[in-house]
Amino acid sequence: LCALAAIALTFLVARRLFGTATGLVAAALLAIDPIHIKYSQIIRTDMHASVFMLLAVYAAIGIVRRGRLRDYLLTGLWIGFACATKWPAATATAAMIGASVARMARHPDERWRQAGFALLSVAVSAVALFIASPYLLLDHATVAANLLGEARPSHLGSTGSGPVGNAIWYLANPFRAAIGSLGIVLAVVGTVLAIRRSRAFLATVVPVFAVFFAAVCMQALVWERWVVPLLPFVTIAVAVALVAGARAIAV
């Protein structure tokens, strides 16, 4: 169910940014992505986190375009739920911050109001996190012990090799398995095109992808499943490149 929701949300996010054609292509690519399919059949919170991160990005696009309190509150709600499913998903906060900064840059007269809305969004995130997982506070000692256990420096077959080495590993293994070498090239091209075409993409998708990817690369271990929340954003970038190429050929 979460995998299907992620496919639908990928379509909605891509459509909101680049139109229906790009949304359909992005959703289709995610639907046949072998890594996404693999983890849709395993009970892992990476898939849940992907859903809530996509919801947060979708709401954050509204911040860029309208700057309403409602958009901030929704973004904060989804960030809180995302963090409750998997702590690195808290990096979805980058979408809210990026969107808020973009809105303030475009509308200087709204700076103080947008800053206040952003603080409210952070507060809503904290409340949503507590509602979703109250024992994070009620039994914080166990939380601290579990986090220390997760921070082990080595694991048989999954020990990393530093931030740069980890980044290379993710590109050469899970990302290449997910979209292929050509797909990686198309994702880079599509990202450049998307940044040029959409201020909202630059303010929301790019920060989330960059911060999340940096966070997983800085870990002592490497896991294939950690890229699952990034796959929707990668397929959107690939879809942008494919649709742009198709339109160029048609012309």
Side-chain angles (χ1 to χ4, degrees):
L1 289 175
C2 285
L4 293 173
I7 293 169
L9 287 167
T10 298
F11 166 74
L12 292 175
V13 170
R15 184 181 67 174
R16 196 172 196 184
L17 289 170
F18 304 109
T20 302
T22 302
L24 289 172
V25 174
L29 289 172
L30 188 62
I32 62 173
D33 187 314
I35 300 297
H36 195 262
I37 293 171
K38 176 181 178 179
Y39 288 100
S40 71
Q41 302 174 71
I42 301 173
I43 300 176
R44 286 283 184 181
T45 54
D46 305 270
M47 193 64 71
H48 302 72
S50 182
V51 170
F52 291 118
M53 288 178 68
L54 282 165
L55 284 167
V57 169
Y58 186 83
I61 295 170
I63 294 175
V64 178
R65 295 180 175 174
R66 294 185 296 268
R68 300 178 304 178
L69 175 60
R70 176 178 178 272
D71 298 314
Y72 278 96
L73 296 180
L74 281 174
T75 305
L77 176 69
W78 303 133
I79 290 171
F81 288 169
C83 187
T85 59
K86 194 171 183 68
W87 70 261
T91 55
T93 306
M96 186 276 291
I97 295 173
S100 184
V101 170
R103 181 71 187 182
M104 287 188 281
R106 190 76 175 234
H107 301 274
D109 56 310
E110 298 180 7
R111 283 177 181 173
W112 289 109
R113 184 176 66 174
Q114 297 298 319
F117 287 171
L119 290 176
L120 284 173
S121 182
V122 173
V124 169
S125 297
V127 172
L129 174 60
F130 178 74
I131 291 173
S133 188
Y135 281 93
L136 287 173
L137 288 179
L138 298 178
D139 192 10
H140 54 82
T142 298
V143 174
N146 290 343
L147 287 175
L148 288 174
E150 284 291 318
R152 59 188 183 277
S154 62
H155 185 283
L156 183 62
S158 295
T159 303
S161 54
V164 175
N166 291 349
I168 294 172
W169 184 87
Y170 280 115
L171 289 173
N173 291 279
F175 278 124
R176 189 169 67 174
I179 59 175
S181 299
L182 177 59
I184 293 174
V185 174
L186 288 173
V188 173
V189 173
T191 298
V192 174
L193 293 174
I195 289 173
R196 291 179 177 178
R197 290 174 52 188
S198 173
R199 183 167 52 95
F201 179 89
L202 176 60
T204 59
V205 174
V206 172
V208 169
F209 185 95
V211 176
F212 189 97
F213 188 58
V216 298
C217 287
M218 292 175 66
Q219 302 304 306
L221 308 182
V222 290
W223 293 105
E224 180 185 69
R225 65 179 182 272
W226 283 355
V227 304
V228 167
L230 297 179
L231 296 178
F233 306 126
V234 171
T235 58
I236 290 173
V238 174
V240 169
L242 290 175
V243 172
R247 287 174 176 167
I249 294 172
V251 172

